Amino acid sequence: AFITTYRKGNYKRMQKQALTVNEAAEYSGIGRNTLRSLIGHGKIPVIQIGNKTIIRTETLDLFLATNEGKNLKNIHEVIAV
């Protein structure tokens, strides 16, 4: 996921380091409810800022690579990162 900033006539594109659950769902293709379930079961570590939950993109990429080929709806099959 990228963000574009504009400053003094220049556009700058930067990769986001962390995503909200909704952004992480869009980024990964995993449904929001499934992501929330995985987070709740401790399979994906998150950062809490008040009521806001964010997931580091590096963590999400590692989770996806580690669980490639697994059924993410079967919580017992999923490997935590």
Side-chain angles (χ1 to χ4, degrees):
F2 290 90
I3 58 171
T4 303
T5 58
Y6 179 80
R7 188 170 164 180
K8 296 182 181 179
N10 294 316
Y11 287 97
K12 185 175 181 183
R13 188 173 179 194
M14 299 180 297
Q15 185 169 0
K16 291 182 84 172
Q17 298 298 307
L19 307 169
T20 64
V21 172
N22 287 345
E23 291 169 334
E26 186 176 323
Y27 174 82
S28 66
I30 300 171
R32 287 186 318 247
N33 291 338
T34 301
L35 269 178
R36 287 189 181 101
S37 174
L38 292 164
I39 291 165
H41 283 93
K43 302 294 184 176
I44 301 174
V46 297
I47 300 165
Q48 288 292 140
I49 304 170
N51 291 333
K52 190 176 196 174
T53 301
I54 60 172
I55 305 167
R56 293 179 55 203
T57 53
E58 180 180 289
T59 299
L60 191 54
D61 289 338
L62 176 61
F63 176 82
L64 292 170
T66 302
N67 288 286
E68 189 170 341
K70 298 199 177 3
N71 179 359
L72 299 183
K73 296 233 179 211
N74 181 352
I75 205 70
H76 303 292
E77 187 177 335
V78 177
I79 299 169
V81 294

